[in-house]
């Protein structure tokens, strides 16, 4: 009703405004209308009808005032109501989603197992109880000790501080570095080591009277380049260690000297390097206490070093003014008498004196042993002082510690004893030139060899004026040495760079091996020495290098035991061999001399 | 090995039998504070439920779960063998009262 006839309602409403006044008029008129008559009934009826309509309708339009009205027909009157709203929608931007997953490590787990039994529990408690008791006891003891031993501990500490500062044992990085150095050296020289151990020249089977020397390591030190090797000595206890003394035979220039201790395990650098003020001409290692090394110097001094203590300062050194030789010391030897309190050194020098030095706690006491005086040919002068020779070589008898041989520059060999200071036991005119070296045969000490600058190596026997064997090697012989494993093998080093190895049992006239050991042409060999244990020779040369060579099997023939049953030891066999040889060589009345005149010019 | 020194030595018959009742740790993997707490907890539990191993173990397990995180396991007994896998740093194995053994471990 309300919304259906908007026009009707409008008109109704319009009429309300007019009819409202009409009603009043009509009400006024009604009584007048009734009064007048029916002529006005028709318009009144007309008025009644709309009035009736209006009367019926006015409550209707009045009550529902809230009626939506179309805007179009309305004049611009704005209707405001709270129900006016409009919808508006929009879509915001959604953040894109991303999946991220990770897996953590599970907490680490360990398996554990145990078994529990009544007795195990009991045992555990017992043990714990004992430990507790021990702890309590220790605590009590400590308390007691602290009270009483405090003064004693202080004394001990003081003693330690006062004591000689020994060369500390290697700290672990040094030790590790040393081992690594040896390892890398051995890896580098692996072939040489294999050769040293296992190489046996197979061609020796075909060459009966020849042998070869296989060159092995070459030991050298940068500092030693300008020196010649003047002496070498093997360490008896550790057969891979040897000592080389460096100096020079050229007396014009006086230089400082050097002594190096090498080991075969590390050929590239010496184990110990000792620098001394004057050139080293002789070295010797003590036979039991092998860290003690004695050096003979060219200024006449003697120095004793203890390698366990210090490489810098000598343990003992002879006083430079009185207590020394007046000329160069050519050879030093430790005394073989094993005395715990004193050690003795014997030295021979160009001033003609053989001196014995006794080592006491803090000093070395010099004692004159013997003086090499000429027994013949005294110069007739007013003072009539005896001529003294110049000693060049000294070696001790292997078994009798008192007897030693001395070689001189005049070519004589004297046999002396430590007991007699002025008398020689025997004397022989051995060579025409200075005797460079004398060496006793290890197996038969009545036999000894000597070599000299007159190109000759001579082998002597006691009580014989003439040598048993004589070899001419074509060049000044600098050193000779008997082999430690055989009574008939000896080696000689000559100034033309050759090593000559003889085996008198095989060939009495010729060396089994004459081999050039050095690489440079002008290099002279100065020293040769056999390794006490291995079949190896080391050779010192004038350019500061020590070469080692391995001897082929022909050079190291050892005497085989006789087949029939008898078990004879090696030494006896060697002695027998030598005796047999000597008996061949010796004739009862006439000594046989074998001259070797030819020399190979290779 | 010994934490709390609650050594009760009962010398019975001229001291031949010495009964220890202090907790004796046999193997412990835990950090120190955790360990001390755990030991105290175990001792408390065992004393409280001295006749019933199961309830002692239950008490231990539940308290450990609350304190240190889920999935603890506890065994209380007088004789057993064991082979377990435990998380690192979460194991305690101890003796108590002379004849009781407790093993507590975490493994989720």
């Amino acid at each position: 009703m309300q919304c259906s006839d908007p026009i009707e309602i409008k008109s109704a409403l319009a009429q309300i405004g007019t009819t409202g006044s009409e009603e009043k008029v009509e009400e006024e008129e009604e009584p007048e209308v009734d009064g007048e008559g029916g002529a006005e009934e028709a318009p009144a009826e007309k008025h009644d009808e709309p009035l009736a309509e209006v009367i019926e309708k006015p409550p209707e339009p009045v009550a529902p005032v809230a009626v939506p009205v179309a805007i179009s027909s309305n004049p611009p009157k704005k209707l405001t109501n709270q129900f006016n709203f409009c919808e508006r929608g929009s879509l915001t931007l959604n953040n894109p989603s991303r999946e991220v997953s990770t897996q953590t490590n599970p907490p680490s787990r360990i398996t554990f197992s145990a078994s529990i039994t009544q007795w195990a529990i009991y045992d555990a408690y017992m043990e714990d109880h004992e430990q507790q008791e021990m702890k309590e006891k220790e605590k009590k003891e400590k308390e007691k000790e602290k009270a009483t031993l405090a003064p004693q501990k202080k004394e001990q500490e003081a003693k330690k501080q006062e004591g000689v500062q020994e060369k500390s044992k290697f700290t672990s990085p040094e030790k590790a570095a040393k081992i690594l150095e040896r390892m890398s050296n051995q890896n580098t020289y692996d072939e040489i080591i294999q050769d040293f151990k296992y190489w046996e020249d197979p061609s020796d089977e075909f060459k009966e009277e020849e042998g070869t020397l296989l060159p092995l390591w070459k030991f050298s030190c940068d500092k030693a380049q300008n020196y010649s090797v003047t002496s070498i000595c093997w360490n008896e206890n550790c057969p891979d260690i040897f000592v080389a003394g460096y100096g020079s035979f050229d007396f014009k220039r006086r230089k400082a000297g050097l002594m190096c201790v090498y080991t075969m395990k590390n050929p590239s650098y010496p184990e110990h390097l000792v620098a001394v003020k004057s050139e080293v001409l002789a070295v010797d290692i003590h036979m039991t206490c092998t860290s003690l090394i004695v050096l003979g110097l060219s200024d006449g001094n003697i120095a004793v070093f203890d390698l366990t203590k210090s490489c810098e300062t000598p343990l003992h050194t002879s006083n430079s003014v009185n207590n020394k030789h007046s000329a160069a010391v050519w050879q030093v030897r430790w005394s073989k008498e094993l005395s715990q309190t004193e050690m003795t050194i014997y030295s021979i020098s160009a001033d003609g004196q053989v001196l014995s030095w006794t080592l006491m706690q803090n000093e070395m006491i010099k004692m004159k042993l013997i003086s090499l005086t000429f027994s013949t040919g005294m110069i007739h002068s007013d003072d009539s002082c005896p001529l003294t020779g110049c000693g060049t070589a000294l070696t001790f008898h292997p078994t009798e510690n008192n007897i030693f041989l001395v070689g001189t520059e005049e070519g004589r060999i004297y046999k002396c004893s430590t007991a007699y200071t002025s008398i020689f036991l025997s004397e022989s005119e051995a060579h025409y030139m200075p005797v460079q070296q004398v060496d006793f045969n290890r197996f038969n000490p009545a036999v000894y060899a000597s070599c000299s600058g007159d190109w000759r190596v001579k082998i002597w026997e006691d009580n014989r004026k003439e040598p048993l064997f004589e070899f001419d090697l074509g060049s000044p012989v600098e050193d000779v040495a008997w082999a430690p494993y055989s009574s008939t093998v000896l080696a000689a080093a000559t100034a033309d760079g050759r090593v000559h190895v003889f085996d008198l049992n095989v060939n009495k006239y010729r060396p089994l091996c004459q081999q050039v050991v050095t690489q440079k042409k002008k290099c002279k060999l100065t020293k040769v020495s056999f390794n006490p244990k291995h079949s190896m020779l080391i050779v010192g040369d004038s350019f500061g290098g020590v070469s080692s060579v391995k001897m082929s099997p022909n050079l190291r023939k050892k005497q085989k035991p006789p087949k029939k049953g008898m078990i004879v030891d090696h030494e006896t066999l060697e002695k027998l061999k030598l005796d047999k040889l000597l008996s061949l060589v010796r004739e009862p009345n006439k000594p046989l001399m074998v001259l070797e005149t030819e020399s190979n010019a290779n | 090995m010994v934490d709390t020194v609650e050594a009760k030595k009962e010398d019975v018959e001229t001291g031949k039998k010495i009964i220890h009742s202090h907790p004796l740790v046999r193997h412990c993997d835990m950090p120190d504070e955790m360990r001390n707490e755990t030991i105290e907890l175990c001792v408390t539990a065992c004393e409280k439920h001295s006749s019933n191993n199961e309830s002692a173990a239950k008490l231990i397990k539940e308290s450990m779960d609350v304190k240190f995180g889920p999935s603890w396991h506890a065994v209380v007994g007088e004789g057993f063998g064991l082979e377990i896998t435990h998380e690192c740093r979460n194991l305690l194995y101890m003796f108590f009262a002379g004849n009781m053994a407790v093993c507590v471990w975490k493994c989720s």
Side-chain angles (χ1 to χ4, degrees), chain A residues 335-367:
Chain A
S335 156
K336 290 192 184 169
E337 291 173 16
L338 299 171
S339 153
Q340 294 230 338
T341 51
E342 297 178 353
M343 294 194 209
T344 324
I345 304 168
Y346 295 98
S347 67
I348 187 169
S349 97
D351 64 359
Q353 314 276 346
V354 178
L355 299 176
S356 85
W357 308 77
T358 326
L359 292 181
M360 313 283 247
Q361 195 75 21
N362 287 328
E363 50 173 343
M364 256 189 339
I365 301 177
K366 170 186 97 167
M367 231 169 47

Side-chain angles (χ1 to χ4, degrees), chain A residues 5-19 54 57:
Chain A
D5 299 323
I7 297 173
E8 241 183 293
I9 292 165
K10 263 189 188 174
S11 62
L13 283 173
Q15 283 170 4
I16 291 166
T18 51
T19 54
V54 174
K57 285 184 186 175

Side-chain angles (χ1 to χ4, degrees), chain A residues 534-599:
Chain A
H534 307 288
S535 55
M536 202 172 111
L537 278 174
I538 44 169
V539 182
D541 62 29
S542 60
F543 284 142
V546 178
S547 320
S548 56
V549 289
K550 180 169 180 175
M551 295 184 286
S552 67
N554 272 351
L555 302 174
R556 342 181 261 213
K557 276 188 186 162
K558 293 187 192 175
Q559 190 71 348
K560 289 179 192 171
K563 286 180 186 175
K564 290 186 182 177
M566 281 180 29
I567 299 171
V568 191
D569 70 327
H570 178 64
E571 273 198 39
T572 334
L573 283 172
E574 294 291 333
K575 283 182 191 171
L576 290 172
K577 178 174 75 165
L578 185 60
D579 285 342
K580 198 171 161 189
L581 176 69
L582 292 178
S583 62
L584 283 176
V585 172
R586 280 182 249 152
E587 287 176 13
N589 294 320
K590 226 187 181 183
L592 181 66
M593 190 161 71
V594 177
L595 265 178
E596 167 62 34
T597 49
E598 59 103 18
S599 63

